[in-house]
Amino acid sequence: MTDTIAVLTGASRGLGAGLARGLLRKGTRLITLARRPDAELQSLAAQHGVELEQIEVDLSDLQAAGEVAERVCASLPRDAKRYLLINNAGTVEPVASAAKLTDGAAINAAFTLNVSAVILLTARFVAAVQDLAADRRVLNISSGAGRNPNAGWGVYCATKAALDMYTRVLKLEQGNSGVRTVSLAPGIVDTGMQETIRASDPENFPALAKFQEYHATGKLAAPADVAARILAYLDRDDFGNTEIDDIRNYN
């Protein structure tokens, strides 16, 4: 019998790639949703004897997100001891001052990826595992940007704030006996998103120099290290007691 079934979004690079590798544990079946497959991950899974299914999907496409959510969750085995959903995929774009946020398609894509896809996938996941006698957990990768405003990040801050509130509602609905859920800020991680941030126009993102300094002085955390800490957090017995959290609160 499979001990753990884990569904992970945004698994092809950065923090998601670190989480995917950390989930390659004996007894785990890992399902990843990403824009591109990871050949190295497939090889590592074979070496660890882990069943891996990689699904190529653009979760910023609302129809595609809904279809893959339904398909993945409808096919989940029902005899595992633990079920995990890690909503990690996200984007910081578009980066612009409030007066310049006029690209409706970019705004819509960001909200779809950062919020709507999470809601769709979580809804299907919760429905699929609702009546199972198993440990069921949802981890939403949020950001301090959802709790503290940053000039130029009107869309990013808004999506992460929405994600935090959605998580609070889910916890309220599920209570203490249902699916446990947390919206977790991972800190400042050395990922492709940080590269995007550092390439921002300083007119659109006044805090640019601060983020460039983080990189230049080695203050960005390594994705693999943060992933390990997040997975340890996910394993905690008190997971879900605090639904809005930050990995930097833990050693």
Side-chain angles (χ1 to χ4, degrees), residues 1 15 20 41 82 100 114 133 223 228 235 237 239 241:
M1 184 176 75
L15 181 59
L41 182 66
R82 187 167 75 143
K100 296 179 180 179
N114 292 3
D235 288 340
D237 291 337
F239 178 89
N241 288 356

Side-chain angles (χ1 to χ4, degrees), residues 104-161:
I107 295 169
N108 183 64
F111 271 89
T112 298
L113 180 59
N114 292 3
V115 184
S116 301
V118 173
I119 293 174
L120 291 172
L121 185 53
T122 303
R124 294 293 186 182
F125 178 83
V126 169
V129 303
Q130 190 68 62
D131 299 324
L132 299 182
D135 184 8
R136 299 150 299 164
R137 306 186 179 199
V138 173
L139 179 64
N140 295 325
I141 300 300
S142 185
S143 170
R147 303 155 200 180
N148 300 284
N150 260 302
W153 278 1
V155 172
Y156 186 57
C157 289
T159 60
K160 292 305 183 179

Side-chain angles (χ1 to χ4, degrees), residues 17-183:
L19 290 168
R21 282 153 178 75
L23 286 165
L24 297 180
R25 305 168 180 170
K26 185 177 181 180
T28 295
R29 176 184 174 188
L30 176 59
I31 304 166
T32 63
L33 280 62
R35 287 185 173 132
R36 61 189 67 83
D38 185 335
E40 181 186 68
L41 182 66
Q42 195 72 51
S43 177
L44 290 170
Q47 293 175 28
H48 286 82
V50 171
E51 184 180 356
L52 171 65
E53 179 182 3
Q54 298 192 77
I55 298 173
E56 291 184 63
V57 60
D58 180 0
L59 293 175
S60 67
D61 179 328
L62 189 61
Q63 181 174 345
E67 290 174 352
V68 78
E70 181 176 10
R71 176 162 56 90
V72 168
C73 294
S75 63
L76 292 178
R78 302 184 61 80
D79 59 351
K81 296 178 181 177
R82 187 167 75 143
Y83 294 81
L84 305 176
L85 170 60
I86 305 175
N87 289 303
N88 166 74
T91 182
V92 72
E93 298 180 281
V95 177
S97 64
K100 296 179 180 179
L101 286 173
T102 57
D103 187 341
I107 295 169
N108 183 64
F111 271 89
T112 298
L113 180 59
N114 292 3
V115 184
S116 301
V118 173
I119 293 174
L120 291 172
L121 185 53
T122 303
R124 294 293 186 182
F125 178 83
V126 169
V129 303
Q130 190 68 62
D131 299 324
L132 299 182
D135 184 8
R136 299 150 299 164
R137 306 186 179 199
V138 173
L139 179 64
N140 295 325
I141 300 300
S142 185
S143 170
R147 303 155 200 180
N148 300 284
N150 260 302
W153 278 1
V155 172
Y156 186 57
C157 289
T159 60
K160 292 305 183 179
L163 184 63
D164 284 353
M165 183 55 74
Y166 168 72
T167 302
R168 293 179 66 189
V169 172
L170 182 59
K171 176 180 172 60
L172 179 66
E173 292 175 348
Q174 291 294 308
N176 296 323
S177 58
V179 176
R180 291 193 270 175
T181 183
V182 173
S183 191

